[in-house]
Amino acid sequence: MEKRTVFSHKLLPYALLAPQLLVTIVFFYWPAGQAVYQSFLIQDAFGISTEFVWFENYRSLFSDPAYYSALGVTALFSTVVTVLSLSFALILAVEADKSLKGAGIYKTLLIWPYAVAPAVAGVLWLFMFQPSLGVFGKMLNAAGFNWNPYLNSGDAFALVTAAAVWKQISYNFLFFLAGLQSIPKSLIEAAAIDGAGPTRRFWSIVFPMLSPTAFYLLTVNIVYVFFDTFGIIHTVTRGGPAGATTTLVYKVFSDGQAGGDLGTSAAESVILMLIVIGLTALQFRFIERKVTY
């Protein structure tokens, strides 16, 4: 007979759910509601009076070329960081899953960057690639490259991208390695006996069984790029030069905190939230179909 857990107290399930619901309401729904309300207001320079202007903030936002520039930067930045961080993490996880000498040290070193805060990761990479004092920055200039992330938009974009990828590889590596170790070795050995080479075994057996992990990481990495890379951009480039590294989340900060335009900043945060929700819904609607559970 099937054993079932029965709660005799009717209020117990609600009591168990209450802490999580409270956290969600206080730290997500309440701030989101405030942002939506703030996006319909215009506040004077001294913060004394506010005026309800309906969709005026959104209209001015969509007529601003700088906003479309930030949207393009975000699209390119999120694509490059997600693809590179997932690809490198998968390669490293496949190598770590093999019988290697000193594999424990190898895995430990790969996990360490996950403990580094995004702002600290940005500072580390800026120190290494500072054009006049950084070790790698001086090496690039000595090799003939005119490396200067303070003035060159391509260099600045490459630097924040490298820092963001390095920061996220450890997280992806952990999940990929756990997924690889959960695959039955008997399946791979049977395929090898049947004559399948390493490449065929990986794409026909290993990767399809990793698809749930890959799908989860794809969703998490997109959220990471849209929000958690703010610390890296703020410490390394502050959105410059000339807006080359200004993503949507950094534009929310710069317009609201530096520019003092709280209404437009709130409208940008609402649009950013809708974009992330839409991308997540599209992933579950189309990409999840190809996931093998």
Side-chain angles (χ1 to χ4, degrees), residues 3-172:
K3 294 183 179 180
R4 294 184 179 181
T5 302
V6 179
F7 294 99
S8 58
H9 201 295
K10 292 183 179 181
L11 295 180
L12 181 59
Y14 300 100
L16 295 175
L17 288 173
Q20 182 60 46
L21 290 175
L22 182 63
V23 170
T24 304
I25 291 172
V26 172
F27 292 101
F28 180 76
Y29 288 109
W30 187 13
Q34 285 187 318
V36 173
Y37 175 70
Q38 185 72 42
S39 68
F40 296 113
L41 303 177
I42 287 183
Q43 193 175 62
D44 64 12
F46 301 98
I48 299 175
S49 63
T50 57
E51 180 183 357
F52 195 83
V53 294
W54 291 99
F55 295 98
E56 184 62 32
N57 289 322
Y58 293 93
R59 281 194 291 266
S60 63
L61 188 62
F62 286 117
S63 62
D64 183 11
Y67 184 74
Y68 290 101
S69 174
L71 187 62
V73 170
T74 303
L76 179 60
F77 182 64
S78 60
T79 302
V80 174
V81 172
T82 301
V83 171
L84 290 181
S85 60
L86 288 175
S87 301
F88 284 125
L90 181 58
I91 294 172
L92 293 172
V94 170
E95 294 300 318
D97 192 45
K98 298 178 180 178
S99 298
L100 298 176
K101 191 175 182 180
I105 299 175
Y106 171 69
K107 296 174 185 178
T108 303
L109 292 176
L110 285 173
I111 293 172
W112 274 1
Y114 180 58
V116 179
V120 177
V123 171
L124 290 174
W125 280 78
L126 182 60
F127 280 166
M128 291 189 295
F129 285 91
Q130 208 276 345
S132 58
L133 300 175
V135 176
F136 295 107
K138 291 193 294 185
M139 290 174 58
L140 288 172
N141 286 318
F145 296 97
N146 188 20
W147 172 262
N148 193 336
Y150 299 119
L151 300 176
N152 189 294
S153 59
D155 295 346
F157 186 85
L159 182 57
V160 295
T161 300
V165 170
W166 176 82
K167 173 69 178 69
Q168 190 65 5
I169 283 179
S170 297
Y171 183 87
N172 299 335

